[in-house]
Amino acid sequence: ETGVTQTPRHLVMGMTNKKSLKCEQHLGHNAMYWYKQSAKKPLELMFVYNFKEQTENNSVPSRFSPECPNSSHLFLHLHTLQPEDSALYLCASSQDLRSTDTQYFGPGTRLTVL
Amino acid sequence: GQQVMQIPQYQHVQEGEDFTTYCNSSTTLSNIQWYKQRPGGHPVFLIQLVKSGEVKKQKRLTFQFGEAKKNSSLHITATQTTDVGTYFCAGRWDSNYQLIWGAGTKLIIKP
C-alpha cells in the first residue's frame, strides 16, 4: 500500500535535537491527521488538518509543531523532546471530516528519544 | 471524555481455534470501525458498522454492532497464521468525525 507515505521510517534523536517527520498522501484526500501510538495504549490523536487548516489540537505540547502546506503534505516538527515522547507516529488521511469517513494510515515513523 | 473499552488485551489461541474481541462504550455510538495492525505495520481499515444490530461478514470474520449501539464484537472463526496482529475498534459519537480508539486486542497464535 503506497497511498500514504511517511519518512523517515526510523528516527533516533537526542533531547536537544530538532527534526521533522514528513507525510504525503496520494489519495486526493482533504483531511490529514497525526497520531501517537505508544505500547499498550489507544491511539492518541494529536492534530487534524482539513483543506490545510488545523481543526484540532488535542492539548499537544508545544515541542510538537505541525505544518500542512497543502492537502497532500503534512509535517511534524520536533524540538527538545523528552524520552517519554518515544513512540510510533502515524500519519493518516481521509476524504473529508465526515462522521463516516475511513482513515488510511501511513507506515509510521518509529521515534526514539535518548 | 468518551472512551471505548476493548477486551481482552491479549488472546493466545491454537491455530484453528476461534478468536473474539469486544468493545464497549457507556454511551450510544453513531458508528464503529474495526482496524487490523500486523506486527511492525500500521492500522488497516477492515469494516464500518452503522446500524443497530448490524452483522457483517468478511470470509472468516464476523462483525456485530449491538442493538443499543454501545458495544461491538469481532469474531474470527478457525484462526490462521495470517490473522496474527492487533485488532482495534474505533468509535464515533454524535456524528463527530473524530475516532476514539480502543486499546486493541493482540491475537497470538501458539506454536
Side-chain angles (χ1 to χ4, degrees):
Chain A
E1 300 170 18
T2 58
V4 182
T5 58
Q6 288 185 245
T7 54
R9 296 292 308 275
H10 301 272
L11 178 62
V12 179
M13 59 187 290
M15 289 190 285
T16 58
N17 292 158
K18 289 185 180 181
K19 297 287 185 183
S20 296
L21 310 184
K22 179 183 176 182
C23 175
E24 183 174 0
Q25 58 97 358
H26 310 273
L27 300 170
H29 289 168
N30 299 314
M32 296 187 77
Y33 310 75
W34 279 118
Y35 282 94
K36 177 183 179 182
Q37 186 175 37
S38 305
K40 301 180 182 179
K41 292 176 68 175
L43 269 71
E44 300 172 53
L45 180 63
M46 300 174 72
F47 302 103
V48 182
Y49 279 81
N50 193 36
F51 290 101
K52 304 189 302 178
E53 299 298 320
Q54 187 178 123
T55 59
E56 206 74 42
N57 174 343
N58 277 358
S59 303
V60 180
S62 59
R63 58 185 184 269
F64 295 91
S65 174
E67 178 190 0
C68 189
N70 55 60
S71 292
S72 299
H73 294 85
L74 186 63
F75 295 89
L76 188 62
H77 304 298
L78 316 171
H79 63 98
T80 59
L81 294 191
Q82 305 298 311
E84 60 264 30
D85 297 322
S86 298
L88 181 66
Y89 288 84
L90 291 161
C91 173
S93 71
S94 63
Q95 185 62 58
D96 291 293
L97 290 183
R98 293 169 299 196
S99 62
T100 53
D101 279 343
T102 299
Q103 294 183 10
Y104 296 83
F105 286 82
T109 295
R110 174 68 62 184
L111 174 66
T112 303
V113 181
L114 301 176
Chain B
Q2 283 145 335
Q3 291 184 359
V4 173
M5 304 305 295
Q6 187 172 0
I7 56 170
Q9 188 176 357
Y10 300 94
Q11 190 165 0
H12 294 76
V13 301
Q14 297 278 5
E15 188 174 2
E17 291 182 338
D18 292 356
F19 162 86
T20 306
T21 173
Y22 302 90
C23 283
N24 291 286
S25 166
S26 59
T27 55
T28 302
L29 297 160
S30 60
N31 61 66
I32 193 163
Q33 296 185 347
W34 286 90
Y35 290 75
K36 176 184 178 181
Q37 185 171 17
R38 294 181 185 273
H42 56 277
V44 174
F45 174 76
L46 294 176
I47 210 157
Q48 177 168 260
L49 304 172
V50 180
K51 299 177 183 176
S52 168
E54 191 169 16
V55 178
K56 289 188 176 180
K57 292 191 176 185
Q58 291 179 350
K59 297 183 181 178
R60 295 177 293 103
L61 277 62
T62 302
F63 304 84
Q64 294 190 350
F65 203 9
E67 292 291 340
K69 298 180 70 172
K70 291 183 179 181
N71 58 76
S72 181
S73 65
L74 159 59
H75 180 82
I76 302 177
T77 304
T79 54
Q80 299 175 359
T81 54
T82 53
D83 297 325
V84 162
T86 301
Y87 292 84
F88 293 94
C89 62
R92 289 187 171 112
W93 290 261
D94 302 325
S95 299
N96 192 306
Y97 71 86
Q98 279 200 41
L99 284 170
I100 306 299
W101 294 74
T105 297
K106 189 172 185 178
L107 169 58
I108 299 162
I109 305 281
K110 297 178 192 174

